[in-house]
């Protein structure tokens, strides 16, 4: 009876010093909602959802289906990826792990109950020993441990958020690649139409006896070469589409993706480099995570210092019924403390100190890398911008004018249909270079957003997009009539 | 004693001298209205005659060699070189026996001179730069003086950097009327001058390329192309003369319709009547002048054109793929999907070019143009129209289109007339009952079948 009361008492003591309530790993609570808040603006307003196996999962699935039924923009593609991709769901589970670790840090170590029964070899009743012991230093350090765990939890949240933002940028880049490839494909098809017209004309001329088989074959050879280039463009488009589908978390369902065939018109200007570098250093989540890790390691160092000499001490109570002794039962407290003779925590402290220094250095290195990332991506984006602007403002208008003038020269029978078609092809080729530059612009812009750790603003609205290829030809006069 | 005659002469000289001073100051002489002309003055279609004044017994002319802008036909202006703002330069007209004095002022960017082609004169007046005179430098003025010892159709043109200067349009007529006019029945009533020239002006551009030697694309009468060439208006029954001059690189066989003509003179002199060649086409080689005469007794609107067929068209390319006879059905749609203004051309010949008013490059003429009373005429280049009518007055204004007498115009008929369909039937000489519509052999006796009479 006494024994049982003893145990209960010890448990009560232990229970009373438990501070903090155990948080249930609830997808709606705590860590995940912070991640949701952190990522919201950085992904351009996309929502995240942790499919934890509840009824909300069906809702998310319906939402994704509804989005797929509409034409997608880059924002929608990002949204679908954040809801559907299993890689991100794995990240959210990792958050759950960190959350559980945080809870575990706030729990006191359980007291230990021990019982022993020994029978004397000579016979007689057993020697029963019962005791309860607990680590009393635990109570002193639990606060520090919880603070360390809290810092590590923050670190983990930032890591998860960073993974989300990085993935969003990846989806965006893949999206633009698809649009660029599709636009290129459309232009290649137009080039092919021009070449087919030229080849068919030469076939008709051959049939009428106006050119030789040699001339007709030469024309055909160019066409067949172009056909191969078209196949390559089709393959490239398909590959990019599969990559996008993979990034969105739905491989094999590319037919469901309704993606506009044209890249969006680029903005008139982009944020300045210095502003972007500053923003990157402020808002990049991997930098923030590194900072947070340093905080955790600093707290660990503090704890290591405090517990250098003694980090555990056991205190307990035990009772023994001694058949040999006169009173029949002995009861009393016990205490055990490791003596810091060999190990007085010097290794643990040194390790913690270096870990902290390491993380600080890493933080510096990451900050430098972040600056570089921004500068490189910015340079790429600016180069692409210069290219597409030059094509849009100089090369394409010239090519369009050449086509118009060629049409006039054709009307006067000063050039033939082959030269006219060639002028058109050259215009379309210039259009393809424009599209390539535009694709590079959008892709490197997505890369820049990755480097900045958030969206990049436009400093001027987009101007009218160029029609590619241009259809501006001199109008036919009203008194035209055909003699054919 | 001062006779009245002397007074009048000196008075006239004073007046003439006074007006000469004025005219020198203005740079443009006035035609001396006091001289009575004993000749029918020549008409230079799309050109002019150079006015003169009398200056101490010399018929005095002023020429300025300078760059000029010449409209070849409405819609095309060419950067040429010429005289007194024109190409060809204004026609110099004088009479056999005149003493002429010609001032030549050079406003070209390079030196020049003037050679008087076919005229007998002192060697030093011949105008060959470097050989018979120093060149007329930029900004300089030279004077030529000589007596006209013969009559006929002559020319004037540079003899310094000639290839370039003539290719740029520097040429003009020098007409010398005979001292003794012809008897009335042979007198020429209408006298025209047409200068032949060839040019290469890159389409869409405006400056002739003087280095082109054979591949010309524009061919002109008096530096004009059809439909920019003025018609030659003649009263029915007049004896007309056309004097041709050619300083181009090719011969031009000039053809006319509705009449037979006679080649009456070259720049070497008149052809004696027995030696005059009857022609409907008169070949004018480079460096020649040729006079053509006929009586305009057949009324109507008659073409006058070079019979080198490409010379009666405006600029076209010779490298265009040959689409004649090519079936382009279905292909046009494919091309016009890419090029909305596109239309197939040339598959059924080029007649369509004369009718369509398609937009052209700037400063470019349609290859075939001109509208007549019955539809598009579709010509260009060395082509003009001789309009012969009754009732043409001295103004020789364009009388419009010829009103054909009824029944004298080619007309369409409905379907093939039965009379034109002659089926040839073959028969055997021995066996009349055998009839076949193909030649062959008689099935009975194997003789050759013959047509039924």
């Amino acid at each position: 009876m006494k024994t049982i009361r003893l145990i209960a008492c010890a448990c009560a003591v232990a229970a009373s010093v438990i501070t903090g309530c155990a948080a249930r790993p609830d997808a709606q609570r705590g860590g995940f909602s912070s991640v949701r808040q952190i990522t919201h603006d950085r992904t351009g307003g996309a929502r995240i959802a942790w499919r934890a196996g509840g009824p909300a999962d069906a809702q998310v699935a319906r939402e994704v289906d509804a989005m797929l039924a509409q034409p997608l923009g880059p924002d929608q593609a990002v949204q679908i990826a954040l809801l559907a991709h299993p890689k991100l769901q794995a990240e959210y589970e990792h958050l759950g792990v960190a959350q559980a670790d945080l809870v575990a840090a706030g729990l006191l170590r359980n007291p230990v109950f021990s019982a022993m029964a020994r029978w004397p070899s000579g016979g007689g009743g057993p020697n029963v020993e019962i005791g309860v012991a607990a680590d009393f230093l635990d109570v002193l350090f639990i606060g520090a441990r919880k603070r360390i765990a809290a810092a590590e939890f923050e670190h983990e949240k930032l890591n998860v958020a960073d993974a989300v933002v990085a993935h969003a940028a990846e989806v965006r880049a893949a999206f633009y690649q698809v649009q660029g490839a599709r636009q290129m494909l459309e232009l290649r098809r137009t080039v092919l139409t021009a070449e087919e017209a030229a080849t068919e004309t030469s076939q008709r001329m051959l049939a009428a006896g106006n050119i030789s088989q040699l001339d007709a074959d030469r024309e055909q050879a160019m066409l067949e070469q172009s056909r191969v280039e078209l196949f390559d463009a089709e393959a490239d488009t398909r590959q990019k589409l599969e990559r996008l589908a993979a990034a969105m978390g739905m491989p094999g369902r590319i037919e469901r993706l309704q993606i506009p065939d044209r890249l969006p018109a680029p903005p008139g200007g982009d944020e300045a480099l210095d502003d972007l570098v500053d923003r990157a250093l402020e808002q990049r989540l991997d930098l923030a995570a590194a900072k947070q890790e340093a905080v955790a390691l600093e707290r660990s160092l503090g704890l290591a210092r405090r517990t250098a000499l003694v980090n555990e001490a056991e205190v307990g109570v035990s009772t023994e019924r001694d058949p040999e002794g006169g009173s029949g039962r002995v009861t009393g407290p016990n205490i055990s403390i490791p003596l810091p003779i060999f190990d007085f925590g010097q290794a643990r402290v040194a390790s913690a100190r270096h870990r902290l220094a390491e993380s600080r250095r890493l933080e510096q290195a990451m900050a430098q890398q972040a600056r570089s990332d921004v500068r490189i991506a910015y340079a790429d984006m600016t180069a692409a911008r210069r290219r597409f602007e030059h094509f849009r403002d100089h090369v394409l208008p010239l090519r369009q004018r050449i086509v118009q003038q060629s049409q006039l020269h054709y009307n006067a029978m000063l050039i033939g249909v082959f030269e006219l078609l060639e002028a058109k092809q050259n215009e379309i080729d210039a259009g393809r270079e424009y599209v390539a530059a535009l694709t590079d612009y959008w892709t490197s812009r997505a890369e820049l957003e990755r480097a900045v750790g958030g969206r990049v603003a436009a400093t001027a609205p987009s101007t009218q997009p160029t029609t590619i290829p241009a259809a501006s030809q001199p109008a036919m006069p009203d008194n035209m009539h055909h003699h054919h | 004693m001062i006779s009245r005659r002397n007074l009048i002469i000196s008075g006239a000289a004073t007046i003439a001298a006074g007006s000469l001073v004025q005219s020198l100051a203005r740079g443009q002489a006035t035609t001396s209205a006091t001289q009575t002309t004993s000749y029918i003055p020549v008409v230079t279609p799309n050109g002019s005659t150079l006015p003169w004044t009398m200056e101490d017994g010399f018929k005095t002319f002023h020429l300025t060699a300078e760059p000029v802008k010449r409209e070849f036909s409405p819609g095309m202006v060419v950067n040429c070189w010429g005289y007194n703002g024109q190409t060809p330069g204004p026609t110099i007209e004088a009479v056999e026996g005149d003493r002429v004095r010609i001032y030549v002022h050079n406003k070209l960017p390079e030196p020049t001179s003037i050679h008087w082609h076919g005229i007998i004169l002192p060697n030093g007046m011949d105008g060959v730069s470097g050989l018979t005179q120093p060149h007329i430098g930029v900004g300089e003025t030279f004077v030529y003086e000589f007596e006209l010892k013969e009559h006929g159709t002559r020319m004037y043109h540079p003899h310094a950097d000639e290839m370039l200067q003539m290719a740029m349009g520097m040429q003009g007529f020098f007409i010398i009327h005979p001292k003794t006019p012809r008897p009335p029945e042979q007198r020429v009533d209408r006298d025209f001058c047409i200068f032949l020239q060839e040019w290469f002006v890159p389409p869409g551009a405006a400056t002739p390329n003087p280095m082109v030697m054979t591949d010309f694309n524009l061919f002109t009468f008096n530096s004009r192309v059809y439909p920019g060439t003025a018609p030659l208006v003649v009263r029915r029954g007049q004896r007309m003369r056309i004097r041709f001059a050619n300083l181009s690189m090719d011969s031009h066989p000039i053809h006319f319709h509705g009449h037979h003509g006679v080649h009456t003179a070259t720049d070497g002199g008149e052809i004696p009547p027995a030696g005059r060649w009857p022609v409907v086409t008169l070949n004018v080689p480079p460096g020649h002048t040729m006079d053509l005469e006929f009586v305009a007794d057949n009324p109507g609107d008659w073409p006058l054109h070079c019979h080198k067929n490409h010379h009666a068209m405006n600029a076209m390319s010779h490298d265009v793929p040959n689409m004649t006879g090519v079936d382009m059905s279905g292909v046009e749609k494919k091309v016009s999907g890419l090029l909305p203004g596109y239309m197939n051309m040339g598959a059924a010949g080029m007649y369509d070019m004369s009718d369509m008013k398609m937009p052209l490059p700037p400063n470019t003429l349609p290859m075939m143009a001109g509208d007549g009373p019955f539809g598009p005429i579709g010509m260009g280049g060395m082509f003009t129209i001789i309009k012969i009518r009754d009732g043409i007055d001295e103004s020789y204004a364009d009388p419009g289109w010829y009103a054909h007498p009824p029944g004298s115009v080619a007309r369409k008929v409905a379907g093939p007339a039965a009379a034109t369909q002659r089926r040839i039937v073959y028969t055997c000489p021995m066996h009349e009952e055998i009839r076949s519509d193909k030649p062959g052999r008689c099935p009975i006796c194997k003789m050759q079948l013959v047509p039924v009479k």
Side-chain angles (χ1 to χ4, degrees):
Chain A
M1 278 308 271
K2 246 183 160 175
T3 324
I4 295 165
R5 257 194 279 129
L6 210 53
I7 296 164
C9 169
C11 288
V13 166
S16 72
V17 302
I18 291 172
T19 55
C21 56
R24 280 173 296 117
D26 185 340
Q28 307 308 315
R29 299 270 197 104
F32 189 73
S33 57
S34 305
V35 170
R36 178 181 287 138
Q37 205 177 20
I38 297 168
T39 58
H40 185 268
D41 288 333
R42 288 174 168 87
T43 57
R47 287 176 28 250
I48 54 176
W50 185 346
R51 298 204 306 274
D57 286 7
Q59 176 61 31
V60 168
R62 274 199 295 278
E63 214 181 307
V64 169
D65 280 342
M67 288 180 79
L68 286 174
Q70 301 296 319
L72 299 175
D75 292 338
Q76 289 75 31
V78 165
Q79 179 64 86
I80 292 174
L82 297 190
L83 294 176
H85 206 291
K87 182 174 90 174
L88 294 178
Q89 299 299 320
E91 292 285 337
Y92 306 151
E93 295 299 337
H94 201 77
L95 195 63
V97 168
Q99 220 158 356
D101 287 349
L102 175 63
V103 166
L107 299 174
L108 284 174
R109 274 207 281 275
N110 288 330
V112 177
F113 167 80
S114 61
M116 218 176 353
R118 287 173 291 214
W119 283 260
S121 53
N127 172 301
V128 178
E129 192 181 321
I130 297 172
V132 164
D135 184 337
F136 83 98
L137 284 187
D138 212 23
V139 175
L140 294 179
F141 300 138
I142 197 168
R145 280 215 308 275
K146 271 167 49 183
R147 279 197 298 283
I148 294 171
E152 277 171 357
F153 184 51
E154 284 307 308
H155 166 71
E156 205 47 50
K157 273 194 245 174
L158 292 166
N159 270 347
V160 170
D162 186 52
V164 169
V165 171
H167 193 77
E170 199 183 299
V171 170
R172 230 175 261 283
F175 190 88
Y176 294 134
Q177 287 284 310
V178 168
Q179 287 190 307
R182 280 230 177 117
Q183 207 167 348
M184 284 289 237
L185 184 60
E186 183 190 333
L187 291 175
R188 272 230 182 265
R189 288 209 172 107
T190 312
V191 169
L192 197 72
T193 306
E195 286 185 344
E196 280 171 348
T199 302
E200 199 170 338
T201 301
S202 69
Q203 289 296 316
R204 304 286 182 96
M205 289 175 79
L206 178 68
N210 290 24
I211 60 169
S212 63
Q213 184 71 53
L214 173 60
D215 288 334
D217 283 349
R218 281 191 179 130
E219 201 60 50
Q220 177 121 22
M222 296 203 295
L223 174 67
E224 298 304 337
Q225 188 62 40
S226 277
R227 285 226 168 92
V228 171
E229 286 169 18
L230 180 69
F231 300 155
D232 290 344
E234 284 174 344
D236 186 58
T237 307
R238 191 180 175 91
Q239 190 199 69
K240 295 206 159 104
L241 205 49
E242 291 286 1
R243 288 230 169 98
L244 174 64
M248 284 170 68
M250 35 196 59
R253 289 157 75 183
I254 57 174
E255 318 76 43
R256 294 190 63 185
L257 303 177
Q258 298 176 49
I259 299 174
D261 282 346
R262 298 275 170 99
L263 284 163
D270 306 303
E271 267 184 272
L273 177 60
D274 292 336
D275 294 340
L276 289 169
V277 169
D278 289 345
R279 276 220 286 136
L281 294 175
E282 262 171 43
Q283 74 177 22
R284 264 179 84 134
L285 293 170
D286 54 353
L287 290 182
K291 277 198 185 76
Q292 200 57 45
E293 193 174 26
V295 166
L297 288 173
E298 199 175 346
R299 292 179 186 173
S300 293
L301 176 61
L303 184 61
R305 285 203 173 110
R306 282 165 65 192
T307 61
L309 295 175
V310 174
N311 66 345
E312 59 180 353
E314 211 176 67
V315 129
V317 144
S318 64
T319 181
E320 188 182 349
R321 182 141 52 93
D322 186 359
E324 308 284 346
S327 56
R329 175 174 289 279
V330 289
T331 305
N334 53 37
I335 183 165
S336 62
I337 304 174
L339 296 176
I341 295 175
F342 306 111
D343 174 5
F344 37 94
Q346 69 274 42
R348 270 180 284 126
V349 170
S351 169
R353 204 174 55 236
H354 284 294
R355 287 231 189 104
L356 176 62
E358 180 194 14
S359 93
R360 289 227 170 99
R361 287 285 179 235
L362 271 177
E363 204 189 314
Q364 267 178 357
M366 282 176 75
Q368 277 195 355
Q369 184 65 47
R371 263 204 200 86
S372 264
D373 286 350
V374 172
R375 296 186 80 87
I376 290 171
Y378 187 84
D380 286 345
M381 185 184 77
T382 322
R385 172 177 277 282
R386 224 167 151 213
R387 241 174 151 249
F388 82 67
E389 279 179 350
H390 189 76
F391 271 96
R392 180 192 65 198
D393 298 336
H394 297 286
V395 179
L396 280 178
L398 262 175
R399 286 284 171 203
Q400 286 161 16
R401 201 164 74 213
I402 289 172
V403 169
Q404 283 166 12
Q405 285 293 312
S406 298
Q407 178 75 76
L408 298 180
H409 279 244
Y410 172 81
N411 291 349
M413 278 189 108
L414 299 164
I415 62 169
V417 67
F418 297 105
E419 267 186 76
L420 182 59
L421 285 171
E422 199 181 316
K424 189 68 186 174
Q425 268 169 257
N426 288 341
E427 187 200 10
I428 299 168
D429 284 342
R432 285 197 295 120
E433 290 197 75
Y434 170 78
V435 168
L438 201 56
T439 310
D440 285 346
Y441 169 79
W442 282 112
T443 312
S444 53
R445 203 168 192 277
E447 184 52 42
L448 180 62
E449 292 190 333
R450 170 82 191 91
V452 166
R455 303 309 307 278
V456 170
T459 54
S462 53
T463 52
Q464 278 286 55
T466 314
T467 51
I468 314 148
S472 48
Q473 299 293 334
M476 301 270 272
D478 291 334
N479 62 354
M480 264 314 171
H481 45 281
H482 289 241
H483 285 289
H484 304 288
Chain B
M1 152 180 140
I2 300 167
S3 68
R4 262 175 99 222
R5 188 165 160 272
N6 288 348
L7 256 175
I8 289 165
I9 287 169
S10 65
T14 314
I15 291 165
S19 65
L20 174 64
V21 167
Q22 275 181 355
S23 65
L24 273 177
R26 267 184 318 180
Q28 188 69 298
T30 52
T31 307
S32 174
T34 56
Q35 292 286 89
T36 50
T37 56
S38 57
Y39 53 82
I40 304 279
V42 297
V43 175
T44 312
N46 300 114
S48 70
T49 300
L50 187 59
W52 47 267
T53 51
M54 286 309 289
E55 182 187 303
D56 49 77
F58 283 84
K59 210 170 242 178
T60 307
F61 300 87
H62 293 265
L63 285 176
T64 303
E66 56 183 357
V68 307
K69 286 208 192 292
R70 176 69 166 179
E71 182 193 74
F72 273 24
S73 182
M76 183 175 189
V77 175
V78 182
N79 300 328
C80 302
W81 285 4
Y83 299 94
N84 298 21
Q86 310 162 39
T87 166
T91 299
I92 296 176
E93 197 168 19
V95 181
E96 186 179 2
D98 283 348
R99 287 191 295 166
V100 295
R101 175 183 288 140
I102 306 158
Y103 291 94
V104 179
H105 179 56
N106 181 9
K107 282 168 80 173
L108 294 172
E110 66 169 2
T112 191
S113 69
I114 299 194
H115 167 64
W116 316 97
H117 179 113
I119 297 181
I120 307 299
L121 34 64
N123 185 231
M125 293 295 168
D126 200 30
V128 182
S129 152
L131 182 64
T132 64
Q133 62 165 89
H135 63 229
I136 310 174
V138 176
E140 292 177 357
T141 306
F142 272 47
V143 66
Y144 296 84
E145 289 168 346
F146 45 92
E147 186 178 328
L148 299 175
K149 298 204 169 99
E150 78 280 23
H151 63 270
T153 307
R154 306 290 185 267
M155 310 187 259
Y156 67 89
H157 62 80
H159 226 287
D161 194 13
E162 301 133 64
M163 176 202 87
L164 182 142
Q165 294 188 7
M166 283 195 277
M168 293 297 283
M170 298 187 76
Q171 54 250 179
F173 275 102
F174 200 131
I175 305 297
I176 310 168
H177 292 280
K179 200 165 35 193
T180 318
R182 286 190 192 171
E185 66 278 5
Q186 288 174 33
R187 201 160 295 165
V188 167
D189 307 305
R190 276 296 265 165
D191 208 342
F192 295 97
C193 295
I194 295 184
F195 220 112
L196 310 175
Q197 190 51 276
E198 296 172 316
W199 320 70
F200 179 80
V201 182
T207 306
N209 182 352
M211 287 169 284
V212 168
M213 189 172 76
T214 54
D215 198 10
F216 301 99
N217 67 358
L218 285 167
F219 308 89
T220 56
F221 285 166
N222 292 340
S223 303
R224 296 279 288 189
V225 297
Y226 184 76
T229 48
L232 280 54
V233 180
V234 183
R235 187 165 52 246
R236 180 186 187 172
Q238 285 184 316
R239 174 179 288 272
M240 64 181 283
R241 168 166 56 202
I242 311 178
R243 308 165 188 259
F244 294 100
N246 182 6
L247 287 177
S248 74
M249 287 289 291
D250 295 302
S251 302
H252 299 283
I254 306 296
H255 175 62
F256 51 95
H257 297 201
H259 301 76
H260 288 171
V262 191
H263 177 201
T264 57
T266 68
D267 41 359
E270 272 189 67
I271 300 172
R276 292 180 184 177
W277 205 247
V279 290
V280 293
T281 304
L282 177 59
N283 193 40
V284 188
H288 283 61
T289 73
M290 304 290 213
D291 289 7
L292 167 73
E293 290 178 34
F294 56 90
V295 176
D297 55 7
N298 198 349
D301 296 330
W302 303 102
L304 174 74
H305 62 94
C306 177
H307 219 295
K308 288 194 174 176
N309 303 327
H310 282 236
H311 294 188
M313 307 259 281
N314 291 329
M316 60 177 285
S317 167
H318 307 115
D319 296 328
V320 178
N322 179 15
M323 303 302 288
T324 312
V326 177
D327 174 13
M328 287 294 280
S329 50
V331 188
E332 177 174 309
K333 219 177 188 156
K334 211 165 199 171
V335 179
S336 58
L338 301 163
L339 297 153
Y342 172 80
M343 284 188 65
N344 280 336
M345 298 214 293
M350 296 184 202
Y351 185 77
D352 294 350
M353 291 296 291
S354 52
D355 195 15
M356 290 182 179
K357 311 284 190 272
M358 300 182 85
L360 300 177
N363 208 44
T364 302
L365 297 170
M367 184 174 83
M368 299 152 67
D371 291 313
F374 296 95
I377 296 177
M379 302 298 300
M382 288 179 166
F383 184 97
T384 189
I385 301 172
I386 303 175
K387 296 191 176 185
I388 301 172
R389 310 272 189 281
D390 291 310
I392 297 287
D393 66 21
E394 293 306 304
S395 75
Y396 291 105
D398 189 336
W401 300 115
Y402 180 57
H404 299 266
S408 72
V409 178
R411 64 194 181 283
K412 184 163 68 173
V413 290
T420 62
Q421 261 192 345
R422 291 253 218 88
R423 278 172 46 244
I424 301 178
V425 184
Y426 294 88
T427 190
C428 172
M430 294 284 287
H431 302 99
E432 273 185 20
E433 66 278 17
I434 299 297
R435 294 283 148 139
S436 165
D437 54 4
K438 307 199 279 293
R441 292 195 177 269
C442 174
I444 301 172
C445 65
K446 308 295 179 215
M447 277 185 79
Q448 281 275 25
L449 298 177
V450 296
V452 171
K453 292 210 181 38

